[in-house]
Amino acid sequence: MLLNLAYGAVGAVRKAVLAAALLLALPAWAEPVNLAALGDSLTQGYGLPPEEGFAPQLEAWLRDNGHDVSITNAGVSGDTTAGGLSRVGWTLTPEIRGMIVALGGNDMLRGIDPANSRENLRGILVAAREAGVEVLLVGIQAPGNYGPDYKAAFDNMYPELAEEFGTLHADNFFAGLAVEGDPSAAATYLQPDGLHPNAAGVSKIVAALGPKVALLLDRIDRD
């Protein structure tokens, strides 16, 4: 009887040691990778229930596609690139490993000089580089009503900054809403204000942008 108890105790110890060894053998990135989505009302989820906004839908899409990720919603309605620059420091908390930057729409709506917007975005990218945080820079396309020079300067600042800093780049936040041969079809996916996507629109935006965010995750050093 005592011998059986001794063997039982040894077996229990062996199992405990084995379990501890397995836990130590797990990769260091077993916990979710934390991303921040720095943006304006498009990122914040204006006019939508929290669970239907951009950050929650993107997080769900990534998880459905095999990525263990947590996304902090750092979108502020009405924010400009200057506003994003002013708060990027407290957005880049120690646990943040990557950042989606989607700013500039409100600069364009206010007719702000693209040179100023460019410098603000550059400041955000500098802060991310100093923090060792990988970035996906998401552009937005200016309409033609400000003239061709404004449109060119605004549209080009995103790919040029992405090249300068070696960041990932997505051409247009609204790319997922484009319907070939029917420009008016995008209205189906917008709220009544004609500016912000509805829940179905966010879903299409996320489906188009998700693979770029997956590439961002692949860039992150998980050691």
Side-chain angles (χ1 to χ4, degrees), residues 47-193:
L48 297 172
E51 68 276 8
E52 294 182 354
F54 173 74
Q57 286 209 45
L58 178 59
E59 182 178 303
W61 187 95
L62 290 166
R63 287 180 176 270
D64 288 345
N65 283 273
H67 301 280
D68 192 9
V69 62
S70 176
I71 300 181
T72 298
N73 187 348
V76 173
S77 187
D79 216 359
T80 61
T81 56
L85 177 59
S86 71
R87 59 192 177 84
V88 67
W90 54 262
T91 298
L92 292 171
T93 52
E95 73 274 10
I96 297 299
R97 307 295 305 281
M99 184 166 62
I100 303 160
V101 179
L103 286 162
N106 288 311
D107 297 52
M108 179 264 295
L109 290 173
R110 299 178 188 185
I112 292 173
D113 186 345
N116 293 336
S117 302
R118 180 188 287 261
E119 287 308 304
N120 293 330
L121 289 172
R122 178 178 282 111
I124 291 170
L125 296 177
V126 167
R129 182 173 62 189
E130 292 176 348
V133 169
E134 295 285 351
V135 171
L136 168 62
L137 181 60
V138 183
I140 191 168
Q141 303 294 304
N145 55 304
Y146 290 115
D149 291 342
Y150 184 99
K151 178 172 175 56
F154 186 91
D155 293 354
N156 291 339
M157 68 181 176
Y158 295 102
E160 290 173 0
L161 284 169
E163 182 177 3
E164 178 184 344
F165 285 86
T167 69
L168 290 171
H169 169 242
D171 287 331
N172 188 358
F173 185 89
F174 289 105
L177 300 189
V179 180
E180 188 174 353
D182 187 5
S184 64
T188 305
Y189 300 105
L190 297 176
Q191 297 181 42
D193 62 10

Side-chain angles (χ1 to χ4, degrees), residues 31 171 188 203 215:
E31 294 184 356
D171 287 331
T188 305
S203 179
L215 290 177

